Structures are given as C-alpha cells and as structure tokens.
Amino acid sequence: MMKLAVVETKLLTREPGALFSLLIPLFILVVFGSSIQPGDTVLLPMALAIAVGLVALYLVPTTLATYRERGILRRLSVTPVKPGSLLVVQLLLQLVLAVTACGLLMVVAGTVLKAHLPTGVLSGLLVFGLGTASMFAIGLLIAALAPNGRSANGFGVLLYFPMAYLAGLMQPPGQMPAIVARIGEYTPLGAFRQSLADVWAGNAPSPVLLGVMALYALVVGAAAAVFFRWE
C-alpha cells in the first residue's frame, strides 16, 4: 500500500489538473482580493468551495475513469495490490490535494490579504468534511458511469458550471433571483458555500444544510458504489 501511495503521489504531482486545481482558486482570490475588507465573509468561502469542487468534479472522476479505460484496475485485480487499494489511495491523495489548496488559500488570505479567518475551528472542520464528502461522492458517481476518462472529464466540467452558478460561486447569491439562490442552497456545492459563509460570519452552520450535505454524501456515494465498474 505504501509503495502504491508513493507511485500515485508522483503521478499526481505530474498531472496538470492538480496544478490547475491549486492555482485557479488562488488566482481568483488574489485578483479579487483587493476588494476584501477585514470583515469579509464572502470571497474566501467562495474560493474554498471552488477549490474543492474542481478536485471533486475534475480530478477524481477523470483519474479513476482513465485507470479503468486503460485496464489498470483490471490488471491490478490479479496482483497482490487489489483495485480497492488503488481507489482508497486515490481518494486520500485527492483529499490531500483539496486540503492543500484550501490551506494555501487561507494562508494567502490571512497573511497577504489580511482577510477575516473564522474562529469556529470545529464547525469549520465539520462543514469542510461534509462538503468535501458530498462533492467527492458526485465525482465517484461520474467515474462510475463514464465510459472513459475523456467523457468523465466532460461530464465533470458540464456539471461543475451549472452547479457553481446555483451555488453562488459565479454571482453573489444576493444578486441572483431569490428562488434560484434558494434552490442553489440545496445543491451540495451551494450548501457547502453557504455553510462556510456562516462559519466565517461567526454563526453556527445551518443543521438543514449540514443534513443536505450528509444526505448527498450517503445517497450519491451509495449509488457510486453500486454502479462502479472495475473494468
């Protein structure tokens, strides 16, 4: 397992999409960072949600579907390294990438941009865990259903943009039609963004939105497990 983790880590560091997932949210934060006020509770939560969304809907499905397309999972099934081990390692590495991207955003925001950082560490970790789990579940479902890596990439991108709009990542929810903004809160990415904003504002995250993220993680994750094919 350790040798597999080392190999997969090297492959991930050479993947352009990994660098893309790190730099795009940081670029957005820095470009719009001049407008950040010390008490801002909007931009950084948006950037964090963007970072997790990119990893979950781009890297996770594309990588796993490509491995299946190339027969890597099938070949591993006849070796001591089972395909399930590769799946676990990949998910852990993608989680580390998401955490790294978010950590980089918070460091830059807190030191360079002097942005407000939340004091509710436990609630922040809870929101991050549930939000990431719900988004990764969707990425796994895409990987389960996509016939190859290219289609997984396409499905992920096609799903990301409407989900990002509904979540208020492309336009502040206050500038969206009220019904659209309300619907967006009940998408996994929208519930994630709103819950992060609540934590940044010093408020307790909504139990309803926490439940929304947990439900997506459980239901969509279960569907991904049912439909996932090793070859």
Side-chain angles (χ1 to χ4, degrees), residues 95-112:
L95 176 61
V96 169
L97 178 61
V99 170
T100 301
C102 292
L104 181 61
L105 288 169
M106 293 187 67
V107 168
V108 171
T111 57
V112 178

Side-chain angles (χ1 to χ4, degrees), residues 43-54:
L43 185 56
L44 186 51
M46 288 173 59
L48 294 174
I50 289 171
V52 173
L54 287 175

Side-chain angles (χ1 to χ4, degrees), residues 3-80:
K3 185 176 181 179
L4 178 64
V6 172
V7 172
E8 290 299 312
T9 300
K10 291 180 180 179
L11 292 175
L12 182 62
T13 57
R14 298 170 186 170
E15 170 60 50
L19 185 61
F20 177 85
S21 299
L22 286 173
L23 295 184
I24 290 299
L26 185 61
F27 174 79
I28 293 172
L29 180 68
V30 172
V31 166
F32 294 99
S34 58
S35 64
I36 290 182
Q37 301 299 319
D40 182 89
T41 61
V42 176
L43 185 56
L44 186 51
M46 288 173 59
L48 294 174
I50 289 171
V52 173
L54 287 175
V55 174
L57 297 183
Y58 174 67
L59 281 178
V60 170
T62 302
T63 301
L64 295 179
T66 299
Y67 278 14
R68 184 177 60 241
E69 177 188 3
R70 294 177 179 175
I72 295 174
L73 298 180
R74 175 175 51 79
R75 290 196 294 270
L76 282 176
S77 64
V78 296
T79 71

Side-chain angles (χ1 to χ4, degrees), residues 50 53-54 57 155-165 169 189:
I50 289 171
L54 287 175
L57 297 183
F155 292 151
V157 171
L158 286 175
L159 186 60
Y160 176 79
F161 284 103
M163 189 179 292
Y165 172 74
L169 302 183
L189 197 55

Side-chain angles (χ1 to χ4, degrees), residues 135-208:
M135 294 304 300
F136 271 43
I138 296 174
L140 284 173
L141 183 59
I142 295 173
L145 298 176
N148 52 56
R150 180 173 295 181
S151 61
N153 185 4
F155 292 151
V157 171
L158 286 175
L159 186 60
Y160 176 79
F161 284 103
M163 189 179 292
Y165 172 74
L166 288 173
L169 302 183
M170 296 182 175
Q171 183 178 8
Q175 300 177 13
M176 297 167 62
I179 184 63
V180 175
R182 188 64 175 171
I183 292 173
E185 287 186 2
Y186 292 93
T187 64
L189 197 55
F192 187 29
R193 183 208 58 79
Q194 182 58 52
S195 296
L196 285 174
D198 289 339
V199 172
W200 251 254
N203 302 321
S206 165
V208 173

